[in-house]
Amino acid sequence: MRRPSWKPSLALAATLTAGLATGGCSGSDAATSAFPSWHNTQVNVVSRMAVGGDVVAVTSMKPEGALETVALSLRDGRRLWAHPATMAGRLPGMGVSTPALVRSGDQAVVVALDPGKQGRWNATLIARDARTGARKWSRPVHSTFGPQRCGPYVCLSEHTALAKARMVVLDPATGKVLWKLPGISEVEWSDDKRVLLLRLASNPMVESYELETGKLQWQQPIEQALGPGIDLSGGWAFGGAGDDLVGYVAPYTNPRTKKVSAFGLFSIKIADGTINWMRPSVVRVYPSGNPGLAPVVRPVDRHGSYGGFARLDPTTGRVVGQITASDVPGSGWWLAFPDRMDKLGFLQHRAKGSAFDLAAGRPVPPENVRAWSFCVTDPKPLPLRGQPPGFYSTAALCEYDLGTGKRVTPASTPPSWYTGSQDGWRLWRDERGGLHAVNDQTADSPGMYG
């Protein structure tokens, strides 16, 4: 997905070693210490996480820069198996590829790209039993953005570096092609009956397909919501909000024409593609909630000047909290939000920051206001072996005291708007790449990165 996986653009920013501990997250706060939890430091997670069938699948980086697909038990964080992994044709702005984890009958399979160049094929797509790692099927690959789960199937855009690029829908048990589409597509939402695809083209569209047959159900050009001149080079993000899909397209400045593409936030009905609401000319800020959960944006006028900050209701698109441009401090700050996102903080590292009540739009004393922001403000690209430069791991958040600008220790469990939740489990990566999990029975929701 072409969106910042770690390092946000300046416009949006204004805005391991060994060991396994189970039975309690290292540094968990009292509110979560009674819940089942674990912390695995045997991995250096650099991708998002896939969950299913009581298994967690991630892409991890070894000390020498090689990638591997790692499967862990969701119940205790125990490492189940690992195999070498690679990327073939994925663009750096999309972040490191995440394995696809798909249920197949009463089992689950992990589908990932293994290295190995043979003739015109640059890698091999391999499906393995999620718990044992036993190989089930394989498919040679020339170039791809990586596999994705689409309902009960596997979706794969392949030959992405060639004119004959296409997306194939595969049976997870056998690898058989069920149906295919020309061009490049990305899965943005799916259930057992349908899949919503972002069609990457000169006129990008969101399209709905019947999963079993591949029949087109509806299509909605993004320019209908945000206006003409869409360019996905700046990145995008989507998230489900009940019966709707909320999408965000970031701005992109054409280096030749210096023109800025159309950008903003919009919502469409999953059932028929009808546009519910639109918020053109706003940028999503980081860190913040998923577009389908708790979007926070800044308006940008036609001269490129930024306004204040607003949190939107993903169901209606209405403003539920905001501060004005005149309230925004000068420079040197990083955004920070508390667990409930009821306040907006401007973090000054090792100095007193400022905070605002979002609902009232009024300043509040920053003393004793704890909020979450990026652990590192100048991350380094991953030293990946055999890959183009510019890949970053998914961002880790740390808790800060806005009154002092210092980190809160010991670290507590990050908020659900960052981690998301699946099957009652919340998982997150710490700044060293270790993987944490807690089962606090939070309702299913998307995290900051989906």
Side-chain angles (χ1 to χ4, degrees), residues 36-47:
S37 56
W38 51 263
H39 175 202
N40 189 320
T41 60
Q42 294 176 329
V43 290
N44 179 12
V45 178
V46 293
S47 73

Side-chain angles (χ1 to χ4, degrees), residues 133-357:
R135 184 165 169 163
K136 300 180 75 70
W137 54 266
S138 64
R139 181 181 182 86
V141 171
H142 173 273
S143 49
T144 179
F145 290 165
Q148 292 182 280
R149 181 183 68 84
C150 48
Y153 305 124
V154 178
C155 284
L156 179 77
S157 282
E158 59 181 7
H159 309 317
T160 51
L162 305 176
K164 59 179 182 179
R166 64 182 186 178
M167 190 199 78
V168 292
V169 179
L170 308 174
D171 183 326
T174 65
K176 176 184 176 183
V177 176
L178 303 176
W179 51 276
K180 54 191 175 183
L181 288 174
I184 302 173
S185 302
E186 182 179 85
V187 176
E188 306 302 349
W189 182 92
S190 67
D191 62 11
D192 290 343
K193 301 296 183 183
R194 77 167 74 212
V195 59
L196 302 192
L197 301 175
L198 173 63
R199 304 277 276 149
L200 280 64
S202 56
N203 182 22
M205 296 191 183
V206 178
E207 296 180 344
S208 175
Y209 288 86
E210 186 178 90
L211 263 173
E212 187 173 349
T213 65
K215 178 183 177 182
L216 175 66
Q217 297 172 319
W218 55 259
Q219 59 183 190
Q220 182 62 263
I222 294 179
E223 68 175 15
Q224 291 294 321
L226 302 180
I230 300 292
D231 190 323
L232 296 177
S233 301
W236 64 83
F238 284 81
D243 296 330
D244 306 321
L245 181 73
V246 181
Y248 169 67
V249 175
Y252 176 72
T253 302
N254 186 301
R256 182 177 58 84
T257 65
K258 308 303 180 185
K259 291 186 64 176
V260 179
S261 63
F263 60 96
L265 210 65
F266 63 98
S267 168
I268 55 180
K269 289 187 182 299
I270 290 173
D272 59 15
T274 302
I275 296 175
N276 299 307
W277 55 264
M278 58 195 79
R279 286 274 179 174
S281 301
V282 298
V283 294
R284 180 190 178 195
V285 300
Y286 296 87
S288 65
N290 184 277
L293 180 70
V296 181
V297 299
R298 290 190 82 178
V300 185
D301 66 21
R302 57 192 183 94
H303 302 295
S305 298
Y306 287 86
F309 291 85
R311 177 176 168 179
L312 306 180
D313 181 330
T315 303
T316 65
R318 295 173 181 168
V319 173
V320 295
Q322 64 180 328
I323 68 168
T324 65
S326 61
D327 290 322
V328 179
S331 62
W333 48 264
W334 285 78
L335 283 184
F337 291 97
D339 287 3
R340 294 192 298 132
M341 293 190 77
D342 55 340
K343 297 179 181 66
L344 184 150
F346 295 99
L347 171 68
Q348 299 277 357
H349 286 282
R350 297 194 171 276
K352 182 178 179 179
S354 54
F356 291 82
D357 183 300

